[in-house]
């Protein structure tokens, strides 16, 4: 049994590596491995929405289909059992004659009843409940349940909780290792969001740094459309969305739309000018299922106070400024018992920086 468990972990890890090769949003990321007599005979992953699913790609990669009889299928996510843009994967598995299916985690989509359908067809199904398999699709699961994007707040701060000096200088708080990791994360998110002050002060590009990778959608929260037309974030190499209110500059709106920028006119909200809950509803409708928020303090504070953050990543540099811009600048709580507590916390050292991650 111990050897069997080790083999299951080994092959599921390989399937996970395949799943991470693409981000087929709004579909989940899935990888599959087919094993016969301890050897891999087929493999595949879901490359893009509308294309063949991982299980079907893996089955089709096996030249001799007779090899599929009594083979073991390792798949990171419960196979689908319903018709979408592709037929059910359960049908392909059953038709191929695969009798042993080992699944990384259960699909949270209520339409999916893959485990039950496979069992009814006489398949031996084992569920690993693998945490990494679940985390890989945490954004998809959240979107399926709520219709809203999964939000991760990323902040770089000093030991005394500052994200910029008193003059506004923030380059760079974190070290090169931390920045490289945060840039790499961009490929895993559908959108990157910042407030207008971050655009005005830092003039970021918010691009992917991986060669050949598509840039994420850029989302700017700008209640009056103060964004300069020359801002790097407006470069036409990605989808661009600006969330504003009815106080927007009408001439600027026309100019931005002529550049292909999508303008969302939302309700005005007292605590942060733009109604962020309405914004997330609109982004979810547009199939943006995952969002990384990179700045700044006002936006971070509004998200925190309205409990709109699912996950947080804090890069903490071993530096002390003594004054400057606070990471959060809201009204706060009066009692320690009321403090927001991160859960499932992980801590990682990156040179002299420390990365603290957790869930709300």
């Amino acid at each position: 049994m111990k050897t069997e468990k080790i083999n299951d972990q080994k092959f599921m890890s390989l399937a996970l590596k395949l799943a991470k090769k693409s981000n087929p949003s709004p579909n989940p990321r899935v990888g599959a491995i087919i094993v016969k007599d301890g050897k891999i005979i087929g493999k595949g992953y879901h490359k893009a929405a509308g294309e063949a699913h991982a299980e079907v790609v893996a089955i089709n990669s096996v030249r001799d289909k007779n090899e599929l009889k009594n083979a073991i299928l390792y798949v990171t996510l419960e196979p689908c059992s319903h018709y979408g843009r592709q037929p059910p994967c359960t049908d392909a598995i059953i038709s191929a004659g695969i009798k042993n299916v080992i699944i990384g985690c259960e699909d949270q989509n209520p339409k999916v009843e893959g485990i039950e359908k496979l069992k009814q067809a006489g398949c031996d199904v084992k569920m690993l409940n693998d945490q990494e398999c679940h985390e890989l699709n945490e954004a998809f699961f959240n979107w399926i349940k709520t219709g809203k994007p999964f939000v991760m707040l990323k902040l770089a701060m000093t030991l005394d909780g500052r994200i910029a000096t008193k003059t506004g200088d923030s380059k760079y708080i974190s070290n090169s290792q931390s920045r490289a990791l945060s840039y790499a994360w961009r490929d895993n998110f559908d959108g990157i969001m910042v407030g207008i002050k971050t655009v005005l002060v830092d003039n970021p590009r918010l691009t992917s740094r991986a060669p050949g990778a598509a840039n994420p959608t850029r989302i700017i929260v700008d209640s009056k459309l103060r964004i300069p037309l020359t801002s790097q974030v407006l470069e036409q190499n990605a989808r661009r969305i600006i969330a504003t209110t009815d106080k927007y500059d009408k001439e600027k709106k026309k100019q931005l739309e002529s550049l292909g920028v999508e303008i969302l006119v939302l309700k005005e909200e007292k605590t942060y000018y733009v109604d962020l809950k309405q914004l997330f509803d609109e982004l979810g409708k547009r199939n943006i299922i995952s969002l990384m928020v990179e700045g700044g303090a006002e936006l971070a504070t509004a998200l925190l106070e309205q409990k709109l953050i699912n996950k947080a990543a804090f890069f903490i540099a071993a530096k002390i400024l003594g004054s400057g811009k606070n990471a959060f600048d809201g009204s706060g709580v009066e009692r320690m018992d009321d403090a927001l507590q991160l859960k499932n916390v992980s801590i990682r050292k990156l040179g002299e920086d420390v990365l603290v991650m957790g869930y709300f």
Side-chain angles (χ1 to χ4, degrees):
M1 288 294 292
K2 188 174 181 181
T3 302
E4 180 180 307
K5 185 176 181 180
I6 292 172
N7 284 336
D8 287 348
Q9 291 172 339
K10 168 189 169 185
F11 290 123
M12 191 57 70
S13 293
L14 293 173
L16 268 167
K17 285 183 180 179
L18 288 173
K20 293 175 181 177
K21 284 189 171 184
S22 70
N23 182 12
S25 182
N27 287 1
R29 303 169 76 180
V30 185
I33 297 280
I34 300 174
V35 177
K36 182 73 173 285
D37 298 327
K39 296 181 179 179
I40 296 174
I41 61 170
K43 56 186 179 181
Y45 62 95
H46 185 34
K47 292 184 179 179
E51 294 190 13
H53 292 182
E55 302 93 320
V56 174
V57 175
I59 290 169
N60 290 341
S61 73
V62 179
R63 291 185 180 181
D64 184 357
K65 296 300 185 278
N66 291 321
E67 288 287 302
L68 294 169
K69 310 297 180 184
N70 300 317
I72 303 174
L73 170 67
Y74 289 86
V75 60
T76 56
L77 182 67
E78 178 182 2
C80 65
S81 56
H82 63 289
Y83 278 89
R85 294 167 72 178
Q86 292 288 327
C89 291
T90 49
D91 290 357
I93 294 166
I94 294 165
S95 296
I98 297 172
K99 293 295 184 183
N100 294 284
V101 182
I102 298 177
I103 300 170
C105 72
E106 186 178 356
D107 198 330
Q108 304 295 307
N109 188 342
K111 294 180 180 178
V112 175
E113 298 178 344
I115 295 171
E116 186 60 32
K117 191 170 182 179
L118 290 171
K119 286 182 176 179
Q120 289 176 357
C123 294
D124 182 11
V125 180
K126 182 194 288 189
M127 173 64 69
L128 297 185
N129 290 317
D130 184 90
Q131 184 62 31
E132 191 174 356
C133 287
H134 186 276
E135 287 180 6
L136 184 67
N137 284 307
E138 59 191 5
F140 173 75
F141 296 152
N142 178 79
W143 179 66
I144 282 292
K145 291 177 180 178
T146 69
K148 298 178 175 63
F150 180 91
V151 178
M152 186 178 89
L153 173 66
K154 187 223 81 177
L155 287 176
M157 65 179 72
T158 61
L159 284 174
D160 51 345
R162 313 289 183 171
I163 60 172
T165 68
K166 60 185 179 182
T167 63
D169 182 27
S170 62
K171 292 186 177 180
Y172 290 104
I173 290 174
S174 58
N175 63 26
S176 59
Q177 287 175 261
S178 296
R179 296 198 301 276
L181 179 59
S182 66
Y183 292 150
W185 284 344
R186 290 179 180 176
D187 298 333
N188 297 324
F189 287 85
D190 295 337
I192 308 296
M193 186 165 80
V194 296
I196 182 58
K197 287 187 179 179
T198 297
V199 175
L200 295 174
V201 174
D202 296 336
N203 193 22
R205 291 182 183 274
L206 304 183
T207 54
S208 169
R209 303 303 172 95
N215 289 318
T217 297
R218 299 169 193 144
I219 299 136
I220 303 99
V221 182
D222 182 2
S223 62
K224 297 180 181 179
L225 294 187
R226 292 189 290 150
I227 187 169
L229 295 175
T230 55
S231 299
Q232 294 183 134
V233 78
L234 295 178
E235 291 177 356
Q236 299 183 43
N237 53 10
R239 184 181 182 187
R240 294 141 297 149
I241 297 174
I242 297 181
T244 191
T245 68
D246 59 8
K247 289 185 170 58
Y248 65 81
D249 180 320
K250 292 179 174 55
E251 182 59 33
K252 180 71 74 65
K253 182 173 182 287
K254 291 179 183 178
Q255 294 172 324
L256 288 166
E257 288 176 333
S258 71
L259 296 175
V261 178
E262 188 176 350
I263 307 295
L264 298 181
V265 181
L266 308 173
K267 291 186 295 184
E268 189 175 8
E269 209 274 339
K270 290 181 180 179
T271 58
Y272 189 67
Y273 312 116
V274 171
D275 190 317
L276 296 171
K277 291 180 180 178
Q278 185 187 10
L279 171 58
F280 289 163
D281 282 338
E282 292 298 325
L283 293 178
K285 291 174 185 176
R286 288 161 174 75
N287 290 342
I288 294 175
I289 73 171
S290 59
L291 198 60
M292 182 161 72
V293 179
E294 294 205 1
E298 288 185 9
L299 179 56
T301 301
L303 292 170
L304 187 75
E305 292 182 341
Q306 295 180 49
K307 298 182 179 179
L308 296 174
I309 305 168
N310 299 103
K311 188 176 185 177
F314 300 124
F315 291 93
I316 303 172
K319 300 174 182 177
I320 298 173
L321 297 181
S323 67
K325 188 73 172 177
N326 290 319
F328 299 100
D329 200 18
S331 55
V333 299
E334 295 182 2
R335 299 171 64 249
M336 189 59 69
D337 287 346
D338 297 328
L340 295 175
Q341 176 69 55
L342 284 180
K343 303 169 185 174
N344 301 326
V345 174
S346 64
I347 299 173
R348 176 178 173 185
K349 199 166 184 294
L350 297 159
E352 296 302 317
D353 289 355
V354 175
L355 169 61
V356 178
M357 298 186 72
Y359 294 83
F360 283 101

